[in-house]
Amino acid sequence: MRVLIKPDYDSCAKWVAEYIVYKIHQARPTADKPFVLGLPTGSSPLGVYQELIKQNKEGRVSFEHVVTFNMDEYIGLPPDDPQSYCHFMWENFFNHINIQKKNVHMLDGMTKDYAAECQRYEDEIKEVGGVNLFLCGIGTDGHIAFNEPASSFASRTRIKLLKPETIKANSRFFGGDKGLVPEKVLTVGIGTIMDADEIILIASGKNKQEAIRQTIECGVNHLCPASILQMHQHAIVICDDFAADKLHPDTIKYFKNIERAKMVAK
């Protein structure tokens, strides 16, 4: 696991965006062999999306041959609902870049056949050759996508019942009313995420300190789902100083020294 610790969120978001642009350029995607991105919603990726939009408008990166798969969707919210993750993605990212609509993949929160919908999603990921890079946020309890504590590391895309703590945390997007937050979601599984060639987890703020500490310093434990990233060959955790504040000083020194050495080597 590679760990980068930056001074603030903006530094983290800019680094992630530039890395994604670099990976797209490196892949030289075509219609027959697109670059495949897994994407989250929430506050964590917003700065990344803003920077990618900027670079797209400046002509530094094209999304014409980029295929995306979003992590999750609320059950019972239609795509045009202001609180649906489909709406979030189009408003905050897709409407502002040159991505082809056919290349955008979302879970259908209005489906009546959850199992079939989840299998469709898994099949579509396989059809395009798998995800090249999965971008993740992290919950205060260490969840990635909606894989909350005690989720199976082998899990695939499925239906999940949200914990009261997650509903409370997400109520900020529903005017603070917990009663408006859907209790069920469709989400990619941990196994689905781990199948990606690369994974980047971005975290910022004091409320992510314990989750980051457990993800990086503690053993792999299903009670902190993000800790499974320790087992991925190409996982990057990038966080700001606030999120890293509970890490042992020696841990911080170790990872910062590695990055300094890489810069000197260049």
Side-chain angles (χ1 to χ4, degrees):
M1 176 190 289
R2 182 181 179 186
V3 176
L4 294 96
I5 301 170
K6 300 290 184 180
D8 50 39
Y9 171 74
D10 288 344
S11 300
C12 293
K14 186 171 183 179
W15 188 95
V16 172
E18 289 179 346
Y19 188 79
I20 291 172
V21 170
Y22 163 73
K23 296 303 292 189
I24 293 173
H25 287 166
Q26 187 182 52
R28 297 182 180 180
T30 64
D32 294 330
K33 192 176 181 181
F35 186 81
V36 185
L37 272 174
L39 298 174
T41 53
S43 55
S44 293
L46 275 176
V48 178
Y49 295 154
Q50 290 165 6
E51 182 64 25
L52 288 173
I53 291 168
K54 177 184 175 184
Q55 296 210 27
N56 178 242
K57 290 187 180 300
E58 291 174 350
R60 297 177 60 191
V61 65
S62 172
F63 292 91
E64 182 182 2
H65 300 308
V66 171
V67 170
T68 66
F69 287 88
N70 258 74
M71 282 188 152
D72 35 43
E73 183 57 277
Y74 286 116
I75 287 177
L77 294 188
D80 58 352
D81 187 289
Q83 300 306 329
S84 76
Y85 288 151
C86 180
H87 184 271
F88 176 98
M89 290 303 301
W90 283 100
E91 285 296 302
N92 290 289
F93 191 35
F94 298 142
N95 278 334
H96 310 284
I97 59 175
N98 67 325
I99 196 165
Q100 300 183 70
K101 191 172 182 178
K102 67 177 183 178
N103 286 342
V104 173
H105 295 80
M106 301 274 187
L107 283 157
D108 180 8
M110 297 301 290
T111 183
K112 301 301 180 184
D113 190 336
Y114 304 129
E117 174 63 10
C118 293
Q119 188 59 55
R120 174 193 69 82
Y121 213 60
E122 290 281 337
D123 291 343
E124 288 183 350
I125 292 174
K126 289 179 181 177
E127 285 172 10
V128 296
V131 175
N132 296 116
L133 191 156
F134 227 127
L135 176 61
C136 305
I138 185 172
T140 55
D141 58 3
H143 73 252
I144 48 177
F146 273 122
N147 298 286
E148 297 182 316
S151 292
S152 168
F153 287 151
S155 57
R156 312 304 301 189
T157 304
R158 68 209 187 285
I159 185 172
K160 287 285 288 183
L161 179 67
L162 298 182
K163 291 171 53 181
E165 294 85 353
T166 303
I167 291 174
K168 180 180 179 181
N170 286 2
S171 66
R172 68 188 189 276
F173 300 115
F174 292 80
D177 189 343
K178 292 185 291 185
L180 296 178
V181 184
E183 295 181 347
K184 296 178 181 179
V185 296
L186 297 177
T187 182
V188 295
I190 295 175
T192 312
I193 296 170
M194 289 292 286
D195 279 349
D197 297 334
E198 292 187 82
I199 302 171
I200 297 179
L201 186 150
I202 182 171
S204 68
K206 292 183 178 181
N207 64 329
K208 302 296 175 70
Q209 289 175 354
E210 182 59 21
I212 287 298
R213 185 189 72 82
Q214 291 192 35
T215 296
I216 295 171
E217 291 188 334
C218 299
V220 176
N221 190 322
H222 68 294
L223 296 181
C224 178
S227 67
I228 190 62
L229 297 186
Q230 295 178 33
M231 303 300 293
H232 197 283
Q233 277 193 309
H234 302 290
I236 299 172
V237 173
I238 181 166
C239 58
D240 61 16
D241 285 332
F242 295 107
D245 198 50
K246 277 193 176 183
L247 294 177
H248 192 282
D250 286 346
T251 301
I252 295 173
K253 182 180 178 181
Y254 171 76
F255 284 113
K256 285 192 172 183
N257 281 344
I258 288 176
E259 294 306 315
R260 289 193 192 100
K262 287 181 178 178
M263 292 301 294
V264 170
K266 289 180 179 180

